Amino acid sequence: MKIILNMEVGNKRLRVLLCLGILYSLGLGVSATGGVTAPNPVIEAKEGEARDLQCTYSNSLTDARVEWKFVNNDQEISFVFYDGTLTAAYKNRATAFHQGIRLNDITRKDNGEYICEVTAKDSTGSLTYGFDKIQLIVLVPPSVPVAQVPTSVTNNKVAQLSCLEMDSSPPATFTWYKNKIPLPENPKSSPAFQNSSYTVDPKTGVLTFETVQKIDAGDYYCEATNSQGKQTSAAVTMSVVAD
């Protein structure tokens, strides 16, 4: 895992808290303690919108120190709020308030997990540590996908077609079309494809013919769809030649 810090990390306490945060983000058995709660653990937003990320904790805690970390989709960790202030990357695009932060002008780069960590003294004066997380889903419609289709395949050989689209959030699902007819996941369920032998994964967009036949020749294109819209690729002709 790559760790990005926006300040010097030179004290034992910060190193311990960072390790706990990493274990938590990886789901390695560290549980939330100290009465720290995220009232809205999953938040959706479109690009350009603002959202409040709230982190509540017991009023019985004193000398509370709150830190926010961000874990992006590549599992890179960076600080959002540290030592009582927003870090440089967020000073001009976020606002801190009691038990929360507001992200302004959200972009797709904000997609990921936000971890709120609180260290404080409990009613007995003992030091406690607690945390909770918020998943921010930035809603982005699909971009135009690219259909990777072999233009010539030998009869009875394997043929793999891929539909590539990387911008959508949540991730798009994929549908393949042959000659403008959608391919069902089970070819035997459709009279148009019952003589074909293929598998298709709507999550990855991969269409595989284990033994391609001449009846599989045609014009192929794919469609990427999520809750924000759909886009269609250009069609590519696949021909099947004798072996």
Side-chain angles (χ1 to χ4, degrees):
M1 174 184 293
K2 180 180 180 181
I3 300 173
I4 302 174
L5 299 180
N6 292 321
M7 68 289 293
E8 290 294 324
V9 179
N11 62 74
K12 183 182 297 183
R13 175 188 167 279
L14 185 55
R15 287 197 296 270
V16 170
L17 293 183
L18 181 58
C19 288
L20 287 170
I22 292 172
L23 289 174
Y24 173 68
S25 67
L26 292 176
L28 297 182
V30 180
S31 60
T33 59
V36 178
T37 304
N40 299 303
V42 179
I43 296 175
E44 294 184 344
K46 294 183 179 181
E47 288 191 292
E49 294 183 338
R51 287 292 185 273
D52 290 342
L53 310 183
Q54 292 181 287
C55 173
T56 63
Y57 48 90
S58 173
N59 291 328
S60 65
L61 298 177
T62 59
D63 298 331
R65 179 185 177 106
V66 180
E67 295 171 0
W68 284 86
K69 295 186 180 78
F70 171 57
V71 185
N72 67 17
N73 291 337
D74 293 325
Q75 295 301 298
E76 296 170 336
I77 300 176
S78 60
F79 277 98
V80 178
F81 186 84
Y82 172 76
D83 200 20
T85 188
L86 292 163
T87 58
Y90 290 88
K91 280 188 179 295
N92 297 324
R93 54 184 302 267
T95 306
F97 58 89
H98 180 61
Q99 297 194 357
I101 56 174
R102 164 168 279 223
L103 294 179
N104 300 304
D105 196 20
I106 288 172
T107 73
R108 65 193 67 188
K109 292 183 180 180
D110 295 318
N111 239 330
E113 184 178 85
Y114 292 78
I115 303 173
C116 170
E117 299 179 338
V118 179
T119 52
K121 292 180 180 178
D122 62 17
S123 58
T124 68
S126 299
L127 189 66
T128 66
Y129 169 80
F131 54 86
D132 208 347
K133 66 177 181 178
I134 297 172
Q135 187 72 33
L136 178 62
I137 302 173
V138 182
L139 303 174
V140 181
S143 57
V144 176
V146 175
Q148 294 187 334
V149 180
T151 56
S152 180
V153 184
T154 303
N155 192 51
N156 291 320
K157 299 296 184 180
V158 176
Q160 182 170 290
L161 291 67
S162 300
C163 188
L164 304 181
E165 193 285 319
M166 303 298 292
D167 293 326
S168 56
S169 177
T173 57
F174 301 95
T175 302
W176 277 97
Y177 292 78
K178 175 194 173 187
N179 299 334
K180 300 183 179 180
I181 302 174
L183 277 71
E185 289 189 46
N186 179 6
K188 306 307 178 187
S189 66
S190 169
F193 299 102
Q194 61 184 356
N195 293 321
S196 295
S197 177
Y198 65 78
T199 58
V200 59
D201 188 334
K203 292 183 178 180
T204 64
V206 175
L207 168 63
T208 304
F209 293 90
E210 295 299 335
T211 53
V212 70
Q213 305 294 318
K214 290 196 174 184
I215 59 171
D216 297 318
D219 294 332
Y220 287 84
Y221 63 90
C222 62
E223 182 179 81
T225 306
N226 73 358
S227 61
Q228 302 304 297
K230 63 177 63 177
Q231 291 281 3
T232 303
S233 74
V236 181
T237 300
M238 182 177 77
S239 61
V240 180
V241 297
D243 53 10

